[in-house]
């Protein structure tokens, strides 16, 4: 009752406060929940205690605790037609808390999405125009025959059974071909990409940031360049070492139906 009264009074104050709830609401509700649990320990059939505890948990958003107490209230109500109203009220309280919990989750997701949209600044129009122009230049450079022919010759050497060391060397040669065509363009915009790997990363990141801001034309051009080079965009600036995990000890289902590690039990 104290939690309910404090809740109502805080709603009536409305605009006079800063939006923070009175701490007495939570304290009273926690006290009510504690008293309800102690009463249920002494008498598991005390459905009124479980009922009051569930209502208190609902007020402060303790949904899991509220559902547990509401379920205990449903189970503690005596059988018979004379207690039908109490059983229906307890089940209604259980469903109501589930619905309010779902609504609260949806509201929090919506608030997070709205805050994320507000936090993400819009891309400057000049930056979009720059990225579009650069992406067009980079893509056109990859259409030249002096890139397509040697790229195709190198790509034909990549196939199944190739060692990682040899594959890395071939991809490095493709990367070198790409930057031989892109260096003059990058230099025009102040990026010394001929020898500086960080400059290559900054140059590529500036283009892809605009693509990730839902600029459709730049996004299409980035994907087209990935297809032409046969490299993912982060790999164009520098080789990205992908982490491989040792799954020797992974717990899995074996062919014989038993469960354990891939290599079976290990014993000395």
């Amino acid at each position: 009752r104290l939690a309910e009264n404090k809740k109502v009074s805080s709603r009536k104050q409305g605009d006079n406060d800063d939006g923070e709830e009175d701490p007495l609401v939570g304290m009273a509700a926690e006290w009510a929940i504690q008293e309800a649990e102690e009463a249920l320990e002494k008498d598991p059939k005390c459905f009124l205690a479980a009922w009051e505890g569930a209502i208190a948990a609902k007020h402060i958003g303790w949904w899991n605790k509220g559902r547990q107490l509401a379920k205990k209230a449903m189970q503690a109500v005596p059988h018979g037609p004379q207690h039908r109203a109490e059983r229906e009220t307890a089940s209604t309280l259980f469903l109501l808390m589930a619905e309010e919990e779902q609504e609260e989750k949806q509201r929090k997701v919506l608030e997070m999405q709205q805050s994320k949209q507000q936090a993400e600044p819009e891309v400057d129009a000049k930056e979009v125009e720059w990225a579009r122009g650069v992406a067009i230049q980079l893509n056109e450079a990859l259409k030249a025959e002096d890139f397509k022919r040697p790229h195709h010759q190198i790509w034909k050497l990549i196939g199944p059974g190739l060692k990682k060391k040899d594959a890395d060397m071939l991809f490095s040669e493709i990367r070198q071909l790409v930057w031989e065509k892109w260096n003059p363009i990058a230099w025009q915009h102040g990026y010394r990409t001929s020898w500086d790997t960080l400059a290559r990363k900054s140059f590529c990141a500036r283009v892809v940031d605009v693509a990730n801001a839902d600029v459709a034309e730049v996004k299409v051009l980035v994907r087209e360049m990935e297809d032409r080079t046969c490299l993912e965009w982060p790999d164009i600036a520098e080789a990205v070492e992908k982490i491989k995990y040792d799954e020797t000890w992974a717990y899995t289902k074996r062919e014989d139906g038993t469960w354990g590690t891939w290599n079976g039990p290990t014993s000395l």
Side-chain angles (χ1 to χ4, degrees), residues 88-153:
E88 291 179 352
T89 304
S91 62
T92 302
L93 179 61
F94 181 86
L95 295 175
L96 180 62
M97 280 191 293
E99 291 176 358
E100 290 191 6
E101 180 184 12
Q102 187 65 24
E103 290 176 359
E104 183 180 0
K105 288 181 179 179
Q106 292 175 354
R107 185 176 64 255
K108 287 183 178 180
V109 169
L110 183 61
E111 290 175 356
M112 291 175 61
Q113 291 175 347
Q114 291 176 348
S115 62
K116 185 178 179 181
Q117 291 175 357
Q118 294 174 358
E120 293 179 353
E122 294 184 359
V123 183
D124 184 61
K126 293 182 179 179
E127 187 70 12
V128 173
E129 191 62 30
W130 178 89
R132 183 184 293 110
V134 169
I136 292 173
Q137 286 181 291
L138 298 178
N139 192 39
E140 289 297 324
L142 299 178
K143 296 179 181 179
E145 284 296 325
D146 57 348
F147 170 79
K148 292 167 61 178
R149 188 177 297 276
H151 176 273
H152 180 65
Q153 295 298 326

Side-chain angles (χ1 to χ4, degrees), residues 171-179 231 235-239:
F171 282 119
S172 178
E173 292 183 14
I174 292 177
R175 195 175 295 107
Q176 183 63 29
L177 287 174
V178 172
W179 285 104
L231 293 171
D235 288 320
I236 294 178
E238 185 183 23

Side-chain angles (χ1 to χ4, degrees), residues 1-2 13 25 29 43 52 58 62 75-76 84 96 114-115 121 125 135 145 152 172 194 198-199 206 219 234 247:
R1 289 175 182 174
L2 177 59
Q13 291 177 3
V25 176
D43 184 8
E52 292 293 337
K58 183 176 76 70
W62 288 13
Q75 295 172 347
R84 180 178 179 182
L96 180 62
Q114 291 176 348
S115 62
E145 284 296 325
H152 180 65
S172 178
S194 299
L198 291 177
R206 189 176 173 185
K219 186 180 292 186
E247 296 186 353

